[in-house]
C-alpha cells in the first residue's frame, strides 16, 4: 500500500501494550499492525506545520520565521523556568501562554535509560512519558503552573539528569534504578516554594512498547541526507520507528517533512 503524508508526532494510546498511530493524507496507520512489514520511506519536501508554506523546516516542525514567532515553540516550552504568564508578563502571546502555563503541571521521575526528571502538563500524562520511551514513571509533584514546575526541575537537575540517552532507550539498555528510592532521596532537595506540592502516592507507571526485537546497535535515519530508506519494522518506542537492521527513525525530529510511504 502507498501513502502520502506530512509527518507529525505519532499519536499514542496507553494499554497493556501501547498503540501507535501515524497520520497520512488518507488513513491513520496503526503501526502495531505493521510490525514485520517492509517500509519504504521517501522524502518529498517540506511543509511548515504553522504557516503551511513549503519552506525548509528549521526546528520542531516549523520554518525559521515561524520558529521565532509562534508561541507554541517559545523558549519557556523547553525551559519551563522561563515561564512568565503567572506574572502577567507576555513572551509572544499572553493569551496562549496563560492557557498553557497556568494549568496543573506534573514534575516526574522517569526511567528511560537512567533516571531522569521532567515536567509536563497534567493532561499529557502518560503521553509525555510514552513520547520519551520511558519504561517506568513516577509522579513527584503536582504544581499549579509551569513556572513552579520549572523551579523544581532546575533544582532536581543538580542530582539527576533531565536527558535520556536515545541509544540506550532504543536498545532497551535500562539502568536498574528504583524510582521510589530516588524520589525519597530527592525530596530533601526540593526548593521551599514547591514543597507543599509533593505527591506522596508512589504509584509507578509501567509502559510497554510494541517492540518485537530490540537492536544491539542503533543508527538514526536522517531523511534529509538519505532521501530514501527501506527496511522491516520491528517495533515502535518513544517517537521512534525501529527497523530490523538497527536503523531508527525519530518521527518527531522530522515533523513538517512530506513523505511517501510504501508498506508491503
Ligand atoms: Zn512557517
Amino acid at each position: 500500500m502507498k501513502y502520502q503524508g506530512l509527518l507529525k508526532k505519532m499519536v499514542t494510546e496507553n494499554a497493556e501494550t501501547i498503540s501507535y498511530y501515524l497520520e497520512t493524507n488518507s488513513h491513520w496507520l496503526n503501526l502495531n499492525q505493521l510490525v514485520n512489514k517492509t517500509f519504504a520511506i521517501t522524502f518529498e519536501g517540506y511543509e511548515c506545520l504553522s504557516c503551511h508554506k513549503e519552506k525548509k523546516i528549521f526546528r520542531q516542525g516549523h520554518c525559521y520565521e515561524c520558529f521565532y514567532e509562534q508561541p507554541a515553540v517559545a523558549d519557556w516550552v523547553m525551559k519551563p523556568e522561563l515561564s512568565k504568564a503567572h506574572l502577567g508578563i507576555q513572551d509572544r502571546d499572553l493569551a496562549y501562554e496563560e492557557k498553557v502555563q497556568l494549568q496543573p503541571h506534573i514534575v516526574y521521575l522517569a526511567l528511560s535509560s537512567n533516571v531522569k526528571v521532567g515536567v509536563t502538563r497534567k493532561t499529557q500524562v502518560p503521553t509525555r512519558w510514552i513520547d520519551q520511551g520511558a519504561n517506568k514513571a513516577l509522579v513527584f509533584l503536582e504544581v499549579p503552573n509551569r513556572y513552579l514546575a520549572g523551579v523544581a526541575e532546575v533544582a532536581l537537575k543538580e542530582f539527576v539528569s533531565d536527558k535520556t540517552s536515545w541509544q540506550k532507550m532504543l536498545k532497551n539498555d535500562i539502568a536498574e534504578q528504583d524510582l521510589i528510592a530516588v524520589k525519597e532521596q530527592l525530596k530533601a532537595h526540593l526548593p521551599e516554594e514547591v514543597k507543599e506540592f509533593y505527591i506522596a502516592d508512589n504509584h509507578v507507571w509501567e509502559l510497554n512498547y510494541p517492540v518485537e526485537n530490540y537492536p544491539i546497535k542503533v543508527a538514526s535515519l536522517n531523511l534529509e541526507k538519505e532521501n530514501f530508506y527501506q527496511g522491516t519494522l520491528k517495533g515502535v518506542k518513544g517517537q521512534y520507528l525501529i527497523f530490523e537492521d538497527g536503523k531508527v527513525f525519530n518521527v518527531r525530529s522530522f515533523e513538517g517533512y512530506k513523505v511517501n510511504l510504501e508498506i508491503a
Side-chain angles (χ1 to χ4, degrees):
M1 291 286 283
K2 286 187 181 179
Y3 305 91
Q4 289 192 314
L6 175 63
L7 292 176
K8 285 177 221 140
K9 107 184 175 74
M10 293 177 281
V11 171
T12 59
E13 206 171 70
N14 192 29
E16 204 174 309
T17 301
I18 296 158
S19 292
Y20 279 90
Y21 300 93
L22 181 70
E23 188 181 10
T24 69
N25 294 344
S26 54
H27 294 81
W28 279 93
L29 302 177
N30 177 343
L31 293 168
N32 301 56
Q33 295 170 354
L34 300 176
V35 171
N36 289 321
K37 305 273 188 200
T38 304
F39 273 60
I41 306 172
T42 313
F43 172 45
E44 294 288 331
Y46 307 102
E47 182 183 323
C48 171
L49 296 184
S50 184
C51 69
H52 298 285
K53 291 179 186 159
E54 296 189 337
K55 285 161 67 178
K56 186 172 161 66
I57 299 301
F58 178 62
R59 276 181 209 160
Q60 295 174 38
H62 288 67
C63 71
Y64 185 88
E65 284 73 15
C66 289
F67 185 79
Y68 285 106
E69 279 168 15
Q70 291 298 314
V73 283
D75 285 343
W76 57 263
V77 176
M78 304 297 263
K79 294 183 177 170
E81 68 275 17
L82 301 179
S83 299
K84 293 211 167 65
H86 64 292
L87 302 172
I89 297 173
Q90 170 167 294
D91 181 19
R92 293 181 179 182
D93 175 347
L94 188 56
Y96 178 89
E97 287 145 13
E98 284 176 342
K99 187 171 65 127
V100 178
Q101 294 178 18
L102 306 185
Q103 59 172 287
H105 278 66
I106 298 292
V107 179
Y108 60 85
L109 297 176
L111 194 57
S112 38
S113 53
N114 298 301
V115 175
K116 63 156 277 172
V117 60
V119 163
T120 188
R121 283 174 283 156
K122 192 179 180 187
T123 56
Q124 292 302 105
V125 168
T127 306
R128 178 73 183 138
W129 302 331
I130 295 171
D131 288 348
Q132 291 176 337
N135 287 25
K136 292 180 181 175
L138 174 62
V139 172
F140 201 140
L141 303 172
E142 179 180 335
V143 295
N145 64 53
R146 192 168 185 87
Y147 170 73
L148 286 171
V151 168
E153 188 188 40
V154 167
L156 297 174
K157 273 197 303 206
E158 298 287 323
F159 307 96
V160 282
S161 173
D162 62 333
K163 306 259 181 335
T164 296
S165 156
W166 60 269
Q167 295 94 336
K168 286 185 177 175
M169 183 274 284
L170 291 168
K171 292 188 284 190
N172 213 33
D173 176 4
I174 313 296
E176 286 286 334
Q177 283 179 290
D178 179 349
L179 287 181
I180 296 173
V182 176
K183 179 178 170 182
E184 302 288 344
Q185 286 162 14
L186 288 177
K187 191 180 171 187
H189 300 290
L190 285 173
E192 222 32 67
E193 59 192 311
V194 299
K195 279 190 171 152
E196 64 180 291
F197 303 111
Y198 182 74
I199 300 289
D201 177 10
N202 279 337
H203 169 69
V204 176
W205 288 69
E206 302 217 4
L207 301 159
N208 297 301
Y209 297 89
V211 180
E212 208 173 86
N213 293 113
Y214 284 101
I216 294 163
K217 281 187 179 176
V218 291
S220 64
L221 168 62
N222 185 338
L223 260 194
E224 205 147 24
K225 283 188 185 143
E226 299 178 47
N227 268 293
F228 175 81
Y229 170 75
Q230 184 168 322
T232 303
L233 186 69
K234 280 291 164 184
V236 191
K237 190 178 186 190
Q239 281 288 328
Y240 285 83
L241 306 183
I242 300 170
F243 293 97
E244 192 167 31
D245 62 358
K247 207 73 157 172
V248 294
F249 181 55
N250 185 356
V251 174
R252 196 164 200 181
S253 291
F254 290 93
E255 284 188 310
Y257 285 66
K258 291 193 287 190
V259 292
N260 279 331
L261 283 178
E262 195 168 345
I263 302 168

